[in-house]
Amino acid sequence: MDLSFTAAEEAFREEARTWLAENVPAEPLASMDTPDGFEEHRAWEHVLFDAGWGVVSWPRRYGGREASLVEWLIFEEEYWASGAPGRVSSNGVSLLAPTIFDFGTPEQKDRFLVPMARGDEIWAQGWSEPDAGSDLAGINTKAPRDGEHFVIDGQKTWCSRGAFADWFFCLVRTDPHSERHAGLSYLLVPGDTEGLEARAIGRLDGEPGFAELFFDGARVHERYLLGGEGEGWAVAMATTGSERGLNLRAPGRFVAAADRLVGLYRELADSRGPDLDRRDQVVGAWMGAQAYRWQTYATESRLRGGAPIGSEASFMKVLWSELDVELHATALRLLGRDGERADSSWMDGYVFALSGPIYAGTNEIQRNIISERVLGLPRR
Amino acid sequence: MDFSFGDDQVMLRNAVRALLAHECPPEVVRAAWESDTGRTDGLWAALAEMGVVGMTAPTSVGGLGMDETDLVLLLEEAGRAALPEPLLEHTAVGIPTLAEAGGPVADAWLERAAAGEATLGAGPADGYAVGAAACDLVLLIGDQVGAVPVDGATLVEHRSIDGSRRLFEVGGDAVVLDADPALAFDRAAAAAAAQCAGVAQHLLEATVEYAAQRFQFGKPVGSYQAVKHHLADAALKIEFARPAAHHAAWCIAVGDSDRSRDVSLAKALASEAVDLAARTALQCHGAIGYTYEHDLHLWMKRGWALSAAWGDAAWHRNRIAAALGI
C-alpha cells in the first residue's frame, strides 16, 4: 500500500492544471442541451482533442496519451476543479468507446474513434423505449436482416441530446421472433439515415435535451453492427459496466462540486453568520465525495491486480447519483430565498442531478443488483 | 497510488482470521461477558504468540516494527469476530505512543508490552479506559498523554451495554509522556474505524445468511425487495467506509499533513456504517434478533460502543468542518 502519487503522476497533474488554467473558457458556455450550446461544446471538444486532452487514457493512434487509469482520475480531478465545461462527447467517449475497444473490428475502430474523440461526430444512446426502461430486455424495436442491411422499425426514447447528435448507438431486435435477452444486436446508426426521425422532448429544465427516435424502415449497413449478430445483450452489458462505474462520472466531478459547496457556505457564513445544521449537510456532501474518491482509487488498485469490475459498479452509481442530488439540494438550502432563482448554476446542477438516480438503470435496479449479485440474496 | 495489501499483510490477516474463527466463536465472546475481566482465557496469549500483540513495537524491543497499514486488516478481523481483547488500546495506541515518547516510562514498559507480558490500556482523559483493571499501565489522552500505572491507581467501574467492555474512570498520578496527544487520539479513532467496519461486515453477512434461510409466505425473506434494499444500503455504507479507513491508517503511518481530517472522515463513515448495519441487522432478523439468546446482539452492542468511542460521527463531522475552515 502506497497512497501517494508518483513523481510522474504529480507531473501529469501539474501539466493538466497548467493547460486548463490557460485554456478553459472564462465565461460558461450555453447549455449543451440547446442547439447553440451544443455547438459551443463541440468546439470545446475540438480544442481539448487538438491539445491532447480529449481522451487522455486512449492509445496514441486514436488521439490519446495512453494515460494510466490513475492519471485519468487525476485528469478528471483537475478538469472539474478548473471549472471547465461539461463534456458533450461523453456518451460516446465514456459509454460507446470502451465497447468499441472490446468488440469493434479494426475497421470500426479506425472509422469511429477519432471523430468521436474530437467531437466531429457526437453520439447519443438509443436504448430505452416507451415500454422498456428498467426492463431493458423488453425492447421491441425490430431490425431484421435484408441482405447486407438491417431494416429498423420502432421507437426509442429518452435519448439525451438526440435531436442534435450525429450518430446513435442502439440496441435492437435483429431476430424479430426472439424474446428477452436473445436475438438482440448492437447497431451504430448514422443520424442522417433515411427513415430515422429524431424529435426533441423538453426535459425537466425546459431545454430540448431529450429526443424520441422514430424508425420507419431505416436501413443500416452490416458494417455498423458492433459485436456479433444476436449478441447485443452481452455487448450492451459491457457498456452498462462503464455507465455505472467510474467511466462516466469520475469522483473528480463531485470532489470539485463539494469544494465549491464548502466555498459557498464560507461566503454566506461571512455575511449571515454560521448555521450549524447546514454546515453539517455541507460536511456530509464533502465526505460523500471523498469516500467515493478513495473507493475509486481502491477499485483501480483491484482492477490493476486483475480483478474484473463487475456488479460492484452499482455501488458507485448509487453513491454518486444520490450524493449529487444531496450536494445540490444543500446548496439551494444555503441560498435561502435565492434558492428558487432560475439563473443559478446550483439550480441547473440540481435539476440535472435529479436525473442521476433514474438514468443508467434506476437506483432501485442497482440495489437489486447489489443485493442479488454482490450479497447473493435469492432472486425470488 | 496503490491500495492493495502485500502478500505478507494478507497472509497475516488470513492467519488471524483462521485463529479467531476457531478460538473466538460466539460462545467464547459470551463467556468473556461473564468473566471477571471481560476478556477471554487464552486469546491474548495466542495473539502474542503470533507476534500480533507486539507487532507495532520496534524490532529493537522485540516487536515486528510494523505500522498502521499492517495492523488495519487485523483490526477489521477483530471487529468481525467481536474479539474481546485490547488490540486497539494496546497494539494500535499504547505501544506506538510509548515508542514515540521514549524516556523512562517506555524503558520500563515497552519491551514487556511488546512481548505481551504487560498490557497497556488507553482512554480519553475525559472518558473511560476500557478494561483498565486488567491492564498494567493506562494512557490517558487529552491535552497531553498521561501514563498511569494501574497498581496504585483509583479505578471506578461502570457497566457497558457490551458486557466485554469494562469501563473505568482512572485516577492517580500520571507521568506526562513526550508524545503528541492528537496523534495518539487519531491512532485510537482510526483503529476504532477499522473495527467498526469489521463489526458492520459481520452484521451484514450474518443477516444475509439469515434472510436467505428464513421463509415467510413460502419464500426466503431475503427475496423481498424491502429487505434487499435495506441490506444493499448497509452494504453501500461499508463499501465506502473501508477504503477511507485504509487511507486513514496510511495517513498515520506516513505522517500525512491531512491526517486528523482524514481520520475523522474514516471514523465518521465507519460509525455511520456500523450504526446502519446494526439497525438493519436487527430489523431484518425480526423478533429472534431481539433476544438475548441469539448471537446478533454481541456484535450489535459492540457496534454501538465502537461507533460512539473515540468520537462519534457527529464529533468527527464537526472536526472535518473545522479542518475545512467552515
Side-chain angles (χ1 to χ4, degrees):
Chain A
M1 175 185 286
D2 179 2
L3 307 188
S4 58
F5 293 102
T6 64
E9 287 162 349
E10 294 289 8
F12 177 88
R13 182 187 293 282
E14 195 53 41
E15 189 187 351
R17 183 178 295 179
T18 303
W19 186 87
L20 288 162
E22 288 167 0
N23 290 279
V24 167
E27 293 299 314
L29 308 184
S31 163
M32 71 167 96
D33 296 300
T34 60
D36 291 348
F38 188 82
E39 292 307 321
E40 287 179 28
H41 281 77
R42 186 199 294 273
W44 169 243
E45 292 297 332
H46 295 340
V47 174
L48 277 172
F49 182 85
D50 293 345
W53 295 107
V55 282
V56 294
S57 59
W58 285 20
R60 288 184 200 282
R61 70 176 288 194
Y62 302 118
R65 51 173 77 203
E66 299 182 4
S68 67
L69 190 45
V70 167
E71 285 171 330
W72 177 73
L73 292 166
I74 290 170
F75 174 74
E76 288 285 304
E77 290 177 4
E78 294 302 321
Y79 186 86
W80 296 104
S82 76
R87 302 293 303 273
V88 73
S89 64
S90 73
N91 278 2
V93 167
S94 305
L95 306 183
L96 174 59
T99 314
I100 290 182
F101 279 119
D102 283 353
F103 294 92
T105 63
E107 293 74 23
Q108 287 173 331
K109 289 175 188 172
D110 288 339
R111 165 62 189 84
F112 290 117
L113 290 171
V114 168
M116 173 196 299
R118 193 170 180 275
D120 294 327
E121 292 175 349
I122 294 182
W123 290 78
Q125 185 178 23
W127 286 18
S128 290
E129 296 181 4
D131 292 325
S134 288
D135 183 11
L136 185 63
I139 63 170
N140 202 28
T141 293
K142 298 198 168 42
R145 186 183 266 280
D146 177 22
E148 292 180 354
H149 288 78
F150 296 95
V151 184
I152 314 179
D153 280 285
Q155 185 183 346
K156 294 289 180 181
T157 192
W158 318 136
C159 181
S160 287
R161 291 173 290 285
F164 321 124
D166 306 297
W167 280 78
F168 300 92
F169 52 105
C170 297
L171 196 59
V172 294
R173 200 165 283 290
T174 44
D175 176 355
H177 306 295
S178 63
E179 285 185 9
R180 304 297 297 167
H181 308 85
L184 301 173
S185 296
Y186 201 112
L187 276 186
L188 308 178
V189 181
D192 60 3
T193 302
E194 202 176 322
L196 162 60
E197 188 191 350
R199 284 185 213 153
I201 304 174
R203 263 184 356 186
L204 188 59
D205 58 6
E207 306 291 5
F210 268 157
E212 287 176 292
L213 307 181
F214 296 92
F215 294 92
D216 181 12
R219 297 174 69 82
V220 174
H221 194 271
E222 64 183 2
R223 66 176 172 272
Y224 297 146
L225 175 69
L226 183 58
E229 186 174 345
E231 291 166 16
W233 184 260
V235 181
M237 287 307 103
T239 297
T240 62
S242 304
E243 188 173 34
R244 291 165 188 166
L246 39 83
N247 282 27
L248 182 63
R249 298 279 182 256
R253 181 188 182 105
F254 306 101
V255 169
D259 286 345
R260 276 196 283 279
L261 182 65
V262 169
L264 178 68
Y265 179 87
R266 200 179 286 132
E267 190 183 303
L268 293 173
D270 282 347
S271 55
R272 296 183 201 162
D275 177 333
L276 293 184
D277 282 349
R278 287 178 192 180
R279 188 183 76 158
D280 190 57
Q281 293 166 16
V282 172
V283 169
W286 182 89
M287 286 171 55
Q290 292 293 318
Y292 182 30
R293 179 171 188 253
W294 294 120
Q295 187 260 6
T296 298
Y297 281 117
T299 301
E300 188 280 332
S301 296
R302 282 197 298 113
L303 296 177
R304 205 166 358 133
I309 185 154
S311 311
E312 292 84 356
S314 294
F315 282 124
M316 294 172 155
K317 200 267 166 169
V318 173
L319 183 106
W320 61 250
S321 60
E322 296 182 1
L323 165 63
D324 206 23
V325 172
E326 265 317 299
L327 192 157
H328 285 88
T330 299
L332 297 182
R333 288 190 289 264
L334 287 179
L335 288 167
R337 68 171 192 185
D338 290 330
E340 74 168 281
R341 282 178 57 165
D343 57 352
S344 98
S345 61
W346 289 111
M347 180 56 90
D348 290 343
Y350 180 63
V351 172
F352 180 68
L354 286 173
S355 65
I358 301 170
Y359 67 71
T362 66
N363 285 12
E364 287 69 31
I365 294 292
Q366 307 304 332
R367 286 182 163 88
N368 288 349
I369 292 170
I370 290 167
S371 56
E372 290 167 11
R373 299 194 206 148
V374 181
L375 301 181
L377 285 163
R379 288 203 65 188
R380 51 179 59 86
Chain B
M1 178 58 62
D2 185 5
F3 260 91
S4 52
F5 290 93
D7 291 345
D8 291 351
Q9 292 168 325
V10 173
M11 277 168 55
L12 184 57
R13 190 270 310 272
N14 292 346
V16 169
R17 180 179 290 185
L19 173 79
L20 297 183
H22 280 102
E23 306 296 330
C24 190
E27 308 85 81
V28 168
V29 179
R30 275 181 190 279
W33 279 46
E34 306 303 328
S35 76
D36 289 343
T37 59
R39 294 176 53 188
T40 64
D41 278 342
L43 266 169
W44 195 240
L47 289 166
E49 181 79 12
M50 289 175 75
V52 168
V53 163
M55 63 186 279
T56 49
T59 50
S60 58
V61 296
L64 299 178
M66 290 181 164
D67 68 22
E68 285 70 19
T69 64
D70 301 304
L71 181 57
V72 65
L73 291 178
L74 308 189
L75 289 160
E76 288 181 359
E77 292 307 313
R80 277 169 65 105
L83 174 71
E85 297 294 340
L87 194 63
L88 184 156
E89 293 82 0
H90 179 98
T91 309
V93 180
I95 286 179
T97 304
L98 274 188
E100 173 196 350
V105 179
D107 290 345
W109 293 98
L110 196 50
E111 198 165 332
R112 291 172 58 208
E117 291 160 9
T119 306
L120 306 177
D126 59 355
Y128 300 120
V130 175
C135 294
D136 299 289
L137 182 76
V138 175
L139 304 189
L140 299 177
I141 300 163
D143 295 335
Q144 50 199 19
V145 182
V148 183
V150 172
D151 189 13
T154 54
L155 301 179
V156 180
E157 183 170 3
H158 300 278
R159 288 180 60 210
S160 166
I161 189 72
D162 176 340
S164 72
R165 288 169 61 90
R166 308 298 162 83
L167 307 178
F168 292 92
E169 293 176 66
V170 179
D173 291 333
V175 179
V176 176
L177 298 183
D178 184 17
D180 177 3
L183 175 58
F185 182 89
D186 284 350
R187 291 185 194 284
Q195 289 195 323
C196 283
V199 173
Q201 185 65 31
H202 173 86
L203 285 164
L204 177 66
E205 288 172 7
T207 309
V208 166
E209 193 181 323
Y210 178 77
Q213 55 91 8
R214 166 72 176 169
F215 275 63
Q216 288 290 277
F217 305 102
K219 300 200 299 187
V221 296
S223 68
Y224 295 104
Q225 279 193 344
V227 173
K228 280 181 174 165
H229 289 193
H230 277 320
L231 290 167
D233 283 337
L236 197 75
K237 288 273 191 193
I238 298 167
E239 169 76 12
F240 290 94
R242 283 190 72 214
H246 297 173
H247 174 247
W250 180 82
C251 284
I252 293 171
V254 303
D256 191 81
S257 58
D258 290 320
R259 182 201 75 216
S260 285
R261 184 196 69 186
D262 288 350
V263 166
S264 281
L265 174 70
K267 181 59 164 65
L269 289 169
S271 289
E272 290 169 9
V274 78
D275 287 347
L276 184 67
R279 188 77 184 76
T280 301
L282 177 58
Q283 186 65 23
C284 294
H285 273 79
I288 190 71
Y290 197 76
T291 65
Y292 203 79
E293 281 174 57
H294 196 281
D295 292 331
L296 188 70
H297 78 111
L298 303 175
W299 278 268
M300 201 159 61
K301 290 169 181 173
R302 181 67 56 83
W304 297 348
L306 287 172
S307 168
W310 301 103
D312 64 6
W315 190 93
H316 283 285
R317 290 168 73 113
N318 281 334
R319 196 166 77 150
I320 291 170
L324 295 175
I326 59 174

